[in-house]
Amino acid sequence: MTSVHLDLGHASYDILIGSNLLADVSPIVRLLPLPKVAVVTNVTVAKLYLAPLQAALEAQGVSVLPICLPDGEAYKTWETLNQIMDQLLASRCERKTTLIALGGGVIGDMTGFAAAIYQRGVPFIQVPTTLLAQVDSSVGGKTAINHPLGKNMIGAFYQPRLVLADLATLHSLPTREYAAGLAEVIKYGLIDDPEFFVWLEQNMGRLMARDTTALAYAVERSCRNKARIVIADEREEGQRALLNLGHTFGHAIEAGLGYGTWLHGEAVAVGMLLAARASHLLGQLSEADVARISRLLQAAGLPVEAPTLGFERWLDLMAQDKKVEAGRIRFVLLRAMSQAYVTHLDTAQLRQLLS
Amino acid sequence: MTSVHLDLGHASYDILIGSNLLADVSPIVRLLPLPKVAVVTNVTVAKLYLAPLQAALEAQGVSVLPICLPDGEAYKTWETLNQIMDQLLASRCERKTTLIALGGGVIGDMTGFAAAIYQRGVPFIQVPTTLLAQVDSSVGGKTAINHPLGKNMIGAFYQPRLVLADLATLHSLPTREYAAGLAEVIKYGLIDDPEFFVWLEQNMGRLMARDTTALAYAVERSCRNKARIVIADEREEGQRALLNLGHTFGHAIEAGLGYGTWLHGEAVAVGMLLAARASHLLGQLSEADVARISRLLQAAGLPVEAPTLGFERWLDLMAQDKKVEAGRIRFVLLRAMSQAYVTHLDTAQLRQLLS
């Protein structure tokens, strides 16, 4: 087991990474202010991991309220959030009841947001069971739900007290979801970790085979990269925006096709490639570098062709994103390989890129 | 104009108190990161103050999105909150759009919560137009909406950047709402300010006549009391709970009769008297002191008789409140006049009190 520490001053927590961590719940139990938790999960994950987690907690004297939601990004809504609230209230959960998110990014984002606003805030623990959640969404305290007019539009910055990333859970992931997680792993290499990018080029075969040692390394290095950026800028007033590499395009794809049609990681993969192409158009990245990125994404089983949305629709969807400042759409591009930076593109540039 | 400063380290702001403050919006404009605001108000307040506020802001080059909600505690719900979100998104409000709450406690609580969660947090300014909002709900960063199973169950601690309390707006308040605000004013005297309690006994006539000098003094002293307590304990881990004097009983009355039947301040008035009676049962407060409190509440036009809910219903409603710890219901009682403290009451004591 390795551990990445995230210290934000007002909040500080460990990300524990290892195989079969769910077999020992004492790191969770140690942090509970009251021996009472609500485990929020979805129907798919519940079948695999809810019973053992619940049994392990109960064996240590913790009372467990399981809250089981439908599975999928399409359910990351007010209505589903309200189901959590209803059950917490019906079971009279108090301010010291801890919420545990057991699942992927959708469950983590919704449970974190529920913890942020239930009785103005209750303790919260992340148990991510997808690669995407382990390397990205469970770390850093961004929580949210979607709105028909935009992704993650309603949410809070709310840090967990612990992230428990059990690599064993990744073996049950469907291929497509696993690949979607690799998109965020590749992102860290592209933002500012060239050594990691090369490592990924050399080890994608092992990662695709879900080799435990390679996975442990990739998850830990991703978490370290993310932790470093979040510590420097928790509320995204500066460099945290770099983590959005591929996301302005990606969110437009997700919203444009309807949430859940493309997985978030798939949309981000194409978004990163579009960012690379835009960087090439600006003369910052060679054709060869763009091809290198495309090859790595393909090796990870990710799409590299943007869906056809039509230029006006692209523009409209991106203008709706949170990444808008004073009416200009913000993008993360590459100054060179592994040198991401924040900028704005004008309509003419976007038209050239997207048509 | 007087000013009370509230410094919480991570957040720091002024509460400006005076007559006709709305005539000069420069203290608001100075704080805007972008010349764009959404003014959230209700149909009643809009008729009185929206047009002049909007005109004054626009005269200084600020673009204003007015969001007008229905009036009343019954609308402090998910559904109404969603109306705010829908309009912010439809108008493409960004992270630097400031939300201004123009109205009483319901508008302030909902707007503050909307600001806390819209795009994970946008700037927020309080312009309270009721006495209750000026002396209590606009100060200290508690924001929330109600849930069918309990009051203020869903919310956030989220501080405004400015509170602008224009005493002139109090002249338009209906008598019942004005009295409801006085309940919270009296509360500060009861918690730990005996000198203020005596001042209130001597000056209730002037306050009932809405004498500007007396009002300015009462609002400022109330805000200073509240600011001191909030600074010491922003997240209600200790002494901030004293501000809930009368509120465990009060919330039960509000929920039990249906939100909006009794005004919050009316329910708190009776709640404070019940707390005083409980303190008397425990031998801590004399019959004369209880009578003194009752007289002051009556002089302020407030109810002093609890509604008939039935003991089991009382118990059930109070057990649902946020003020529950490890299954025990928390109450704020009086050790003596103006010496509030936090304790728990058992069922037998509650039965004696409430039947």
Side-chain angles (χ1 to χ4, degrees), chain A residues 78 81-82 85-86 89-90 92 94-95 113 116-120 142-144 147 149 152-157 236 316 319-320 322 324-327, chain B residues 78 81-82 85-86 89-90 92 94-95 113 116-120 142-144 147 149 152-157 236 316 319-320 322 324-327:
Chain A
W78 277 120
L81 187 74
N82 243 329
M85 297 296 153
D86 289 346
L89 280 164
R92 309 211 159 179
E94 311 163 9
R95 279 188 176 157
F113 187 43
I117 65 175
Y118 183 65
Q119 300 204 3
R120 299 197 186 94
K142 275 197 183 178
T143 73
H147 183 281
L149 293 179
N152 293 332
M153 280 294 168
I154 297 165
F157 287 97
E236 196 167 315
D316 196 54
Q320 205 100 54
K322 285 194 300 306
V324 173
E325 278 176 5
Chain B
W78 276 121
L81 187 73
N82 244 328
M85 297 296 153
D86 290 345
L89 281 164
R92 310 213 156 176
E94 312 164 10
R95 279 188 176 156
F113 187 42
I117 65 174
Y118 183 67
Q119 300 204 3
R120 298 197 185 95
K142 274 197 182 179
T143 73
H147 184 281
L149 293 178
N152 293 333
M153 279 296 168
I154 297 166
F157 288 97
E236 195 166 316
D316 196 53
Q320 205 100 54
K322 284 192 302 304
V324 173
E325 279 176 3

